[in-house]
Amino acid sequence: MSDKRALITGITGQDGSHLADLLLEKGYEVYGMVRRSSTENFERIGHLVDRVTLVQADLLDQPSLVGALEEAQATDVYNLAAQSFVPTSWKQPVLTAEFTAVGVTRMLEAVRAVDPSIRFYQASSSEMYGKVREVPQKETTPFYPRSPYGVAKAYGHFITVNYRESYNLFAVSGILFNHEGPRRGLEFVTRKISDGVARIKLGLADELRLGNLDAKRDWGYAGDYVEAMWMMLQAAEPADYVIATGEEHSVREFVEIAFEYAGLDMERHVVVDAKFMRPAEVDHLVGDASKAREELGWEPRVSFRELVEMMVDTDVDRLTATASRPELA
């Protein structure tokens, strides 16, 4: 049994799968928390299911969280599970609050009950800044969330701060700006773009429908960002950190690079569709990760262009394989 044992909630998601890869490389025994479901999607962790232990628990069910912690005997807990898609948070605001906000409290209470020495990481989000108060955003920038998801994340962030200060837990929050990659869900705009470009290139589609092309984000690579999560739990003292590239790019730039890389003309294929517009847009998110650079030594390695090209390549390869093997469809 390794003396380094980690429990990852949300292990089947983009960040969870990348984090599991990293922790296994560093010699951790990795446990992943999954919800019971009639249809299980372990696609992102298919390459490591025989190297991690999956435990059933649910952020809506306090006793199950205690059971998962007791089974894992974790030294580190990474709370990545959430209802994390912003548009869905408008359609299911109460459920989003239960998972993404109150679920953090349940997890912290489970840590207190089982082993207060556990080091706890909470996945905060740049969506908490919302209608931004200053540019760029840093740890001290006031929050002004503009979606039920952003509001829920702000609750999760502050409850983590409160448990750290009130109960002396080693509990930290990473305020991660947008981070993407080939494991991103197809419902997210970056993956929608790379998948759409790949389909058009392969003759499987002719148009790509998108919302606000002028919205700007600070986009990095998820594989770089999970390293920052791990670094936060290695620090001598618990603290919260912004993790970002410090560069802003519009959705339009992402689209232009993707179509150019695939040898396609975006003007012939992109359609702006009002149904993909947010009720309240977040226009200007860009982070200042100076504190993480200075105190943790963290730096992003993958550039914006490299990220876009990586995602297009992966989706072209995936769809090519699917076309040649119908059973993968």
Side-chain angles (χ1 to χ4, degrees):
M1 179 186 296
S2 172
D3 59 352
K4 299 189 293 186
R5 298 163 67 88
L7 174 66
I8 304 171
T9 77
I11 193 171
T12 60
Q14 169 188 249
D15 292 5
S17 63
H18 278 295
L19 180 60
D21 286 335
L22 176 71
L23 295 178
L24 288 168
E25 288 174 9
K26 293 185 177 297
Y28 282 77
E29 190 167 341
V30 176
Y31 287 74
M33 196 181 95
V34 293
R35 299 173 63 206
R36 173 71 181 91
S37 172
S38 57
T39 56
E40 296 177 331
N41 183 5
F42 296 156
E43 178 184 354
R44 294 186 184 92
I45 59 170
H47 63 291
L48 48 74
V49 287
D50 58 343
R51 300 175 62 202
V52 302
T53 302
L54 299 180
V55 296
Q56 284 189 6
D58 195 312
L59 286 177
L60 302 185
D61 183 66
Q62 182 80 26
S64 71
L65 300 179
V66 170
L69 287 175
E70 290 176 339
E71 180 177 345
Q73 299 178 44
T75 55
D76 301 352
V77 169
Y78 294 87
N79 187 42
L80 311 185
Q83 189 304 99
S84 59
F85 189 45
V86 173
T88 296
S89 78
W90 288 103
K91 295 178 180 178
Q92 297 180 300
V94 176
L95 185 66
T96 298
E98 285 289 348
F99 274 115
T100 308
V102 184
V104 185
T105 309
R106 295 189 187 101
M107 199 74 224
L108 286 164
E109 277 295 302
V111 166
R112 284 186 64 216
V114 174
D115 182 0
S117 72
I118 289 172
R119 295 194 167 205
F120 178 86
Y121 172 87
Q122 166 60 17
S124 288
S125 168
S126 60
E127 287 286 335
M128 300 185 303
Y129 293 119
K131 190 175 182 179
V132 297
R133 305 288 86 187
E134 64 179 354
V135 179
Q137 295 89 51
K138 50 185 180 288
E139 291 81 5
T140 55
T141 302
F143 299 145
Y144 195 139
R146 297 268 279 172
S147 67
Y149 170 76
V151 172
K153 278 295 185 182
Y155 174 100
H157 179 87
F158 279 124
I159 201 68
T160 301
V161 171
N162 272 261
Y163 271 62
R164 176 172 72 224
E165 295 177 352
S166 301
Y167 300 117
N168 201 32
L169 297 183
F170 194 107
V172 305
S173 288
I175 307 173
L176 271 58
F177 280 65
N178 292 64
H179 46 290
E180 317 295 323
R183 300 182 193 179
R184 191 55 138 159
L186 286 165
E187 69 273 22
F188 289 87
V189 67
T190 50
R191 184 72 192 289
K192 183 179 179 180
I193 294 167
S194 64
D195 176 74
V197 167
R199 288 180 184 278
I200 293 169
K201 183 176 179 63
L202 296 174
L204 302 174
D206 189 55
E207 69 176 21
L208 174 60
R209 291 183 168 269
L210 298 169
N212 183 7
L213 298 183
D214 297 319
K216 295 180 178 179
R217 295 291 185 274
D218 183 329
W219 275 304
Y221 174 50
D224 291 343
Y225 284 38
V226 298
E227 186 173 14
M229 299 178 187
W230 175 79
M231 287 178 167
M232 288 181 214
L233 292 195
Q234 312 315 304
E237 298 293 333
D240 305 323
Y241 294 90
V242 163
I243 303 299
T245 68
E247 300 176 6
E248 62 176 356
H249 299 277
S250 67
V251 174
R252 187 183 304 278
E253 287 178 75
F254 199 108
V255 173
E256 288 172 346
I257 292 173
F259 273 90
E260 174 195 329
Y261 183 62
L264 299 168
D265 179 3
M266 68 169 282
E267 300 299 333
R268 292 183 53 199
H269 302 285
V270 174
V271 178
V272 174
D273 190 332
K275 78 177 183 181
F276 296 116
M277 301 288 188
R278 291 187 181 189
E281 183 56 82
V282 175
D283 294 309
H284 203 177
L285 290 177
V286 57
D288 178 357
S290 300
K291 181 180 176 184
R293 286 197 300 271
E294 293 164 6
E295 296 185 9
L296 302 177
W298 178 83
E299 290 276 2
R301 291 189 291 269
V302 176
S303 73
F304 179 67
R305 179 173 288 274
E306 288 170 339
L307 171 64
V308 177
E309 293 178 354
M310 174 202 308
M311 293 178 69
V312 171
D313 280 339
T314 303
D315 275 324
V316 169
D317 291 346
R318 174 182 61 86
L319 290 168
T320 301
T322 301
S324 63
R325 294 179 59 190
E327 72 274 15
L328 295 178

